[in-house]
Structures are given as structure tokens and as C-alpha cells.
Amino acid sequence: MGTVLSISPATKKAMDADDGTKGDKSLKRPSMFVSLSWKKLVASSAKKKVTPNPNPPCALQVAQRNSENLRKTLQSEERKPRAPIPVPVPTVPTQSDNRKQPQAQAVHKQVGSPSAVSPRRIVIQASTGELLRCLGDFVCRRCYKLKELNSGEVILWFRNIDRTLLLQGWQDQGFITPANVVFVYLLCEDTLSESLASPAELQGAFQTCLYLAYSYMGNEISYPLKPFMTEANKDVFWDTSLSVIERLSGKMLQLNADPHFFTEIFQELKSQRDSSEANLDR
């Protein structure tokens, strides 16, 4: 007959426990597999994100690309046509507007006219020798009673004083220049009169004018009296000097400060040249 197996309750519980354990293991295996598969997937995706570029661009390549892009931009800007710079054009009022027309003409005279911007200049030229001859002719014409007087003698008075001052060391350079001759003429034209009776008296008055001219226009601080003073005007030298200063102090200052006044005196002196001697020079 068949064999009858008897199972105790403890054995049965142990068997049930083993079966349960096997069942739990069989149920947990799929979850472990899924967990491992998910970890691999995450790790592989992370590797793809973190993996660097095997051939990264170097700094030189970046600089070359930047310079090339800048060059292309500049070339494109140069090819573009440049807009012309707007220049304001003054508007001229129409003739129908009678109120604005005179005002526009006045502005044109003040701004556009060259004569309004700078005064007209008169250019005059003369050498020192020519002006000295003009001065001598003036003195001879003014003192016409002195028949034996000539312009060369007057010029000699002037040159002798200038040479004496140079030789004695009172001045380093000659005083006779066109501007200084004009200054001497200004003094002589006011001081010398036709009432002078002798050449010596005329020479004394003329050399007094020279002393004032040297003192005012000369390069030195002071000059000696002896070359300028003669026996004929020894007693009246200072009286004549003070009288000339009192009368002509304003004109002497104006001659140096006002170019128009200087030009006027210059032209006046140049017109004193004797016409007959001028023709002989030609």
C-alpha cells in the first residue's frame, strides 16, 4: 500500500516559509533588473552630456574668426554710399519783401564786403635817402630867404650828428631810418619858420628838433647835448625844446600809435620833394 507521509505543523510552517521566501525572491528580481537598467540609462545619458568636444577651437582660431568678421563688416560699410554732409545755404529775401531787403543789404555790406571787414590799405614806399632829400627840400622851401641854403647841407647836418654818436659810442646803430625821418619832419614842420635870418640860427633850430627826435625815438636811454647844441641856439635850446614838447606831445604819441596818421605824415613828407630835382634824378 502506499506510504503515508505525515507533516508536522512546525515542518509545514517551515515549508510555507520557504515557499514564501522563494516567492518573494521571484517577485523582487524584476524590480532589481528594472532598477539596474534605469541606473545604466542615467549614467549613459550623463556621459553624453559631459563628454567634451574632442577638437575644441583654440584661442588663435577664435581671434582669426573675429578679425575676419570685423573685416567683412568694414567692407560692407565702405560699400555703402555715404550721405552728403548738409551745408547751410543762406537765403536771400525776395524783392517783394521791402522791409527785409534793406536789412539784408546792410548785413551783406558788413559781412560779405571785403572793404567792410578790413580797411583799405595804402601802400607807400620810399628809401631813406629819398626821404632825406624830401626833408632837405622842405627846409629850403620853408626858409626861402636863405638863398645860399641847399638840401644837401641840411642832410649833412643830420648825418654828421648820427655819425658822431656812433663813433663816440653813444649808440650801437644808426638812427636814420624812414620812420625816424618822418618823425623829424613832424617836428621841423611845426618848429622851423621863414623868419629864421641866418643858416646858423636855422641849424640850431633844426638840431634842437633832432635832439627831441633822438630822445623820443632813439634806442638809447640818453644822449649828450654837445652834438646837438650850437653857439647860435645855446641860450634858447631848452626854451625851444620845452615849447616843442608842449605843442607836439600829442602828435608825437599819435604818430607811433595811429598808422593812418603816420601814413598821412609820410605822404606829406614825400610830396615835399622838389619837382626839378626829381626830374634830374630820373
Side-chain angles (χ1 to χ4, degrees), residues 114-237:
S115 60
V117 175
S118 60
R120 183 180 178 184
R121 295 183 179 180
I122 301 174
V123 180
I124 52 176
Q125 295 180 356
S127 63
T128 304
E130 183 180 357
L131 291 180
L132 283 174
R133 287 191 295 269
C134 292
L135 179 63
D137 292 343
F138 159 74
V139 174
C140 292
R141 189 178 296 108
R142 175 64 62 87
C143 303
Y144 62 92
K145 294 180 182 180
L146 304 176
K147 303 298 183 180
E148 298 179 357
L149 182 67
N150 59 68
S151 61
E153 189 174 358
V154 177
I155 297 173
L156 190 60
W157 293 341
F158 199 166
R159 290 192 181 277
N160 285 339
I161 290 178
D162 197 57
R163 187 180 299 109
T164 300
L165 294 174
L166 284 171
L167 293 176
Q168 293 181 357
W170 290 102
Q171 60 182 5
D172 296 331
Q173 56 185 357
F175 175 80
I176 301 176
T177 61
N180 292 337
V181 174
V182 174
F183 192 91
V184 172
Y185 167 75
L186 176 69
L187 302 181
C188 292
E189 198 277 333
D190 182 84
T191 305
L192 303 182
S193 65
E194 59 185 16
S195 62
L196 296 173
S198 66
E201 188 178 358
L202 171 62
Q203 182 180 0
F206 178 76
Q207 292 185 176
T208 303
C209 294
L210 290 182
Y211 176 76
L212 295 176
Y214 272 82
S215 300
Y216 190 89
M217 297 289 292
N219 296 323
E220 308 302 327
I221 298 176
S222 62
Y223 290 90
L225 291 175
K226 187 175 180 180
F228 300 95
M229 189 179 294
T230 63
E231 291 295 330
N233 73 330
K234 191 174 183 179
D235 297 332
V236 296
F237 180 84

Side-chain angles (χ1 to χ4, degrees), residues 19-196:
D19 293 338
T21 303
K22 292 180 180 180
D24 292 338
K25 290 182 180 181
S26 61
L27 291 175
K28 289 180 180 180
R29 285 178 184 175
S31 61
M32 184 182 295
F33 178 76
V34 172
S35 175
L36 292 174
S37 301
W38 176 254
K39 288 182 179 181
K40 291 181 180 180
L41 179 63
V42 171
S44 62
S45 61
K47 288 182 180 181
K48 291 181 179 179
K49 290 181 180 180
V50 176
T51 302
N53 189 1
N55 297 319
C58 60
L60 180 61
Q61 292 178 351
V62 173
Q64 290 178 353
R65 290 178 183 177
N66 292 337
S67 61
E68 185 176 356
N69 294 333
L70 179 60
R71 182 175 57 81
K72 291 180 180 179
T73 304
L74 293 176
Q75 290 179 354
S76 61
E77 290 180 356
E78 291 178 356
R79 292 173 183 174
K80 293 181 181 179
R82 297 181 179 179
I85 301 174
V87 179
V89 179
T91 58
V92 180
T94 58
Q95 296 180 357
S96 59
D97 194 350
N98 296 327
R99 292 178 298 177
K100 296 182 179 180
Q101 186 70 15
Q103 184 179 2
Q105 292 179 355
V107 172
H108 177 70
K109 290 181 180 179
Q110 293 177 359
V111 179
S113 178
S115 60
V117 175
S118 60
R120 183 180 178 184
R121 295 183 179 180
I122 301 174
V123 180
I124 52 176
Q125 295 180 356
S127 63
T128 304
E130 183 180 357
L131 291 180
L132 283 174
R133 287 191 295 269
C134 292
L135 179 63
D137 292 343
F138 159 74
V139 174
C140 292
R141 189 178 296 108
R142 175 64 62 87
C143 303
Y144 62 92
K145 294 180 182 180
L146 304 176
K147 303 298 183 180
E148 298 179 357
L149 182 67
N150 59 68
S151 61
E153 189 174 358
V154 177
I155 297 173
L156 190 60
W157 293 341
F158 199 166
R159 290 192 181 277
N160 285 339
I161 290 178
D162 197 57
R163 187 180 299 109
T164 300
L165 294 174
L166 284 171
L167 293 176
Q168 293 181 357
W170 290 102
Q171 60 182 5
D172 296 331
Q173 56 185 357
F175 175 80
I176 301 176
T177 61
N180 292 337
V181 174
V182 174
F183 192 91
V184 172
Y185 167 75
L186 176 69
L187 302 181
C188 292
E189 198 277 333
D190 182 84
T191 305
L192 303 182
S193 65
E194 59 185 16
S195 62
L196 296 173

